[in-house]
Every structure is written in C-alpha cells, then in structure tokens.
Amino acid sequence: MASTSTACQEMKEENGRSLSDLPDDLLSLILSNLFARDYITFRAVCKSWNSISTIPRPLKLPIDFPLSQCPYLMFFHGRTHSFNFFHPICNAAYQTEIPELSNVQICFSKNDWLLMSQGFRTVFFFNPFTKARIDLPDIPEEAAYGFISMCFSSPPTSPDCVVVGFTSVGYSVDIGTFKFGGDEWTVVNYDNGDRSFQALRCPPVLCNGSYYFLGDSGELGVYDPTDDEGEGSWDICGKPSQKLKNSQQGYIVESDGDLLSVFIANEGSRVYVLKRDFSNNSWRKVESLGDKMLYLCIRTSLAETAMVKGAGNKIYLPMFYGNEGVFYSLATRKFHCFSGTYCGNNLYDTKHMKHCAWVKPHV
C-alpha cells in the first residue's frame, strides 16, 4: 500500500493538486471527527495538515471541535507569563503570552475562571480567554500567612459567588469567606479539640452545601456555612489511615453529588480511588468510574462525563511522558498515553506539572 505522502505526490502529478492543497475549513472539518490515534496520524500526513492541528490559538480555542468542551490543562514554567493549554485526549497544545499573570500563583479554577494570588494578601479572578479581571479585597491579617488552599462556589459573574480560604494553625483552623456584594473577608478560627488535622494542599470541594477538605490521612474536614448562628460550623470526620498517609499526592472530587478521593503513593506504584460512604463516615474502594473522567491537579480537580468512546474510566493527570499527556486507567490499573508509546506501573519516567489548573473554555 502506498504511503500517504506517495499518494499525495501521485495525485498531484495526475491533476496538479494534492491533499495538502485542501482548504483549511475542510481540513478542520475532517479534524473535528478524529480521535486519539487517528488525530496523531492526521498530523503526520504533511506539513500543512500538521499546521492546522497545532495553530497556537489558546485564546480562541477550536470550539467547533467536538472535544473542545473537555478541560484543558493550563500550565506555565516557573514565574514566566508564557502559558500552555494542553488537551489531554487529543495531545494538542496551544501557547500564548499572558503578561497580566506575571509573578502570580494559581489558587483554584472553575470552568474558564482562575483565582490567582500575588503574595500572601492579594487575590483576584482572571479569565485567560477574555482577559477579564475582578479584584477582591486583600486577605485580612487574621489569616497571618494567607490561605494554603482556596476555592469558589460559582463564577465571579454570579451574585451568589462565595470564595473560601483555609489554613491550619496547630490544633485549630482558620476559614475565611468572602461573599460577593460584601466589602471584606470574614475569618473565623475553629478549634479541633484534641485532634490534629493536616489538610492537603488540594482545594476544598463544595458538595451538597458543605465544603470538604481532604486530610493527609484520608480524614475529612467539613465546613458548613449555613448553621443557625451565621458563623458556620467545622467538624473532622473519619479515622486517619496510615496506608493513605504515606501517599505523595491526594485529591478530592465532587461527582454528581458523590465525593471521590484519589491517593497516589510510591511514585504511582499504588493508586487508591475511593468513594465516600456518608452513612458510616468511611471510604469505599472504587473499581470502575464507568463513563466518568477525572481531571486532577493540585489546584483543581473535577469529574466529567466522557463525550467519546474510550475516554471514560480514566484519570487525567498533570503529568507528561515526553510531550504526551499521561492518564491512569482503572481498567488496566496502569498509566498510559493515548498514542500507545507509554504504558507503566509507576510514574518514574514522567514529568509532573505543578503550576497548573484545569480550565474549560466557555462555548
């Protein structure tokens, strides 16, 4: 069978035109119906086809592409303002400069909004697609060193948006809240009693009206902002697990009203996927995610329903093997790349992106 490049040359010799002369609009239409390995083959046909699939346009992502509504991993190296937007299923990357985000840290993201910090006190919202910025009041001095983790309940364009910050102080915790329409933060200190709670740096998750904070041993800190006294309530649930405490990474995710956690230990040689059983305050092992996809990183974790066959029952990670994204399959209990170039029982040969967040462009 003739190679694609040979076929293109023969076609050009016959009628003076080749496949590389196809209009960009038509190529984009073809591209929008390809997935994973076929997408990679498309890029290898010729230079013009490859250029269609790798045009750096992160602020105008290809929204006609069926998979464009999947989250992109937004990451940068160090304190530069050069950002990459990586689509984990298509293994496609887009790059842009965002000078407005120099010397800042990503705290949290939801859909197309980022919550950013600059130092201990300055926090603001930023939309990387529209460049819109919304400033918040400075974090008050009651939170001496700022917050180690933060989240927000809804987009800052919503009047119901609430920002929540958290930090541990010995046998107590500080929880700060800012409600849109107000002028300042409210910071409340809660006593843990005789229990120490060491929260992981992953952000809290809003589930069924309460905020859940994941402890390094699998226990949960629960903040209920709706108690009768108006200051909210704080409780620690569950028993610590020594098995989970030895994990290097831990994440918590809300999925259709369920609470999931993922712990990765020994450079990926052990991966625990758990679901919260609220009836007895314990974690139960998850054997399969079905058609769900989990997207995890230290600043954002979310669950999505697979839009194409073969994408579900997987955990997409902020990890790369070379230039390819890495995911964990619950079906094989191994780490993979969609191209098939990587399959491993651990993460030793991968690179972990730390300055990152999952974002979804608004379509």
Side-chain angles (χ1 to χ4, degrees), residues 59-249:
L59 300 183
K60 188 179 180 182
L61 296 173
I63 60 175
D64 56 328
F65 187 47
L67 294 173
S68 65
Q69 296 181 42
C70 295
Y72 286 73
L73 183 68
M74 176 182 176
F75 63 92
F76 63 102
H77 300 281
R79 295 184 176 275
T80 69
H81 49 74
S82 177
F83 284 82
N84 293 273
F85 292 77
F86 177 78
H87 195 298
I89 299 177
C90 300
N91 200 52
Y94 306 83
Q95 188 177 55
T96 190
E97 301 289 322
I98 309 180
E100 297 93 333
L101 297 185
S102 296
N103 299 316
V104 299
Q105 294 291 328
I106 300 173
C107 299
F108 184 69
S109 69
K110 183 185 288 287
N111 295 330
D112 53 347
W113 283 97
L114 301 167
L115 182 62
M116 313 295 296
S117 68
Q118 196 165 32
F120 290 137
R121 305 289 173 209
T122 302
V123 286
F124 61 94
F125 285 102
F126 189 83
N127 188 313
F129 306 103
T130 65
K131 302 292 186 72
R133 172 172 172 149
I134 301 175
D135 290 310
L136 297 177
D138 286 351
I139 296 174
E141 294 183 0
E142 289 94 316
Y145 298 103
F147 299 120
I148 63 170
S149 63
M150 302 181 73
C151 74
F152 54 92
S153 61
S154 53
T157 52
S158 167
D160 299 324
C161 180
V162 177
V163 184
V164 175
F166 171 90
T167 193
S168 297
V169 186
Y171 282 83
S172 67
V173 300
D174 285 338
I175 295 180
T177 57
F178 176 78
K179 299 180 180 179
F180 269 59
D183 297 322
E184 60 184 17
W185 289 81
T186 298
V187 179
V188 180
N189 181 266
Y190 296 96
D191 191 352
N192 294 334
D194 59 354
R195 295 192 65 175
S196 174
F197 180 75
Q198 186 61 48
L200 294 172
R201 296 188 68 87
C202 60
V205 165
L206 177 61
C207 182
N208 301 321
S210 295
Y211 293 87
Y212 291 86
F213 301 78
L214 187 60
D216 65 351
S217 301
E219 66 270 59
L220 284 175
V222 186
Y223 171 63
D224 181 359
T226 60
D227 75 331
D228 295 335
E229 297 182 2
E231 287 192 347
S233 64
W234 167 259
D235 193 16
I236 302 173
C237 302
K239 297 180 180 179
S241 165
Q242 190 62 39
K243 177 175 66 175
L244 299 180
K245 187 175 180 63
N246 294 327
S247 301
Q248 294 149 325
Q249 301 166 45

